[in-house]
Amino acid sequence: MKIEMNFRDLPKRWEKHGDMIIFPQNTFTHQNWKYIGREIWRVVAESLKVARLGRKRVIDERTPHVDLLFGSDGWVEHVDERGIRYIYDASKRVFNIDKTREMKRISEFDCHGEIVIDMYAGLGYFTFPFAIACCAKRVYAIDWDEDTVEALVRSRSGNGVDEVVEIIQGDARRVCPQGVADRVYLGLVPSCHAHLLTAARALSPQGGIVHVQESIDTKKPRVIPKRKPMLKSVSKLESVDEIGVVPSTSVEKKEKEIENGGRGHSLYLLQVVLQL
């Protein structure tokens, strides 16, 4: 049987997560690859010196989007430059490398003795930097997704911070602790505006800091609406000096008006009051 192959869908790049490689979603898509059988994935894995292979299906951080091509399961471990371990099932959640810059920035905070709430923890991108690099006293990690919570539990144990990180499953607006936090991190993109009140209520009575992460379209021009004038224009009042004294020439002018029958008396008093 002769099989014609289309090599244009061979991967030119891929991502490595622990001992697993994940190919882009537009690779190995030609139907002729199926005729070769699953043995091809074993050969590819051995040639790339990994134990598992996967292929992206949908690029969406919060939904399953990787198909497992070779291997028993998708659980992998990612260790960042600070030595923080992230353990997750790559067939259900893929580590978002776009967050690494913000993770590095967060890691430079000094949170000794502080209580931190990560309202949308995900895989713990900011939860574990707060707990490990920033030395927070306690970190609450909140997420509604069951698979994500399982990954958080494994990563918490892998980093040895079971006594520091408390994981809460549910809608952050309903389950977020109130009145306890020194810092609240809002990492929900594109916008967290609907959750600012929950974050404010989570702060301790002494106050604290709310970190807001948001996506901004820098290419879209910003239109500032013109304000309608609320009052009719009035004549400019006479200037006063730094201590609020009307210039002597102005005073003499008004006194002269008073001597000439009191015209402008009321206006003069009104101007002096407004200027003061």
Side-chain angles (χ1 to χ4, degrees), residues 7 19 63 71 145 148 160 167 186 209 226 265-266:
F7 294 105
D19 61 352
T63 55
D145 183 72
T148 301
I167 300 170
L186 289 170
I209 301 173
K226 293 183 178 180
H265 182 216
S266 298

Side-chain angles (χ1 to χ4, degrees), residues 7-65:
F7 294 105
R8 279 182 280 183
D9 64 350
L10 286 174
K12 297 179 178 62
R13 58 182 178 83
W14 50 77
E15 299 175 10
K16 188 174 182 181
H17 300 260
D19 61 352
M20 182 179 185
I21 281 181
I22 298 178
F23 298 117
Q25 60 184 6
N26 60 348
T27 57
F28 297 111
T29 56
H30 196 278
Q31 61 180 357
N32 286 343
W33 291 109
K34 298 178 182 179
Y35 295 126
I36 299 177
R38 298 187 61 84
E39 182 65 17
I40 187 176
W41 304 125
R42 183 188 64 78
V43 175
V44 172
E46 289 180 354
S47 64
L48 295 175
K49 298 180 180 180
V50 292
R52 291 166 291 181
L53 299 173
R55 179 174 55 205
K56 287 186 176 180
R57 176 161 40 92
V58 178
I59 301 179
D60 185 343
E61 181 188 355
R62 305 192 73 86
T63 55
H65 63 290

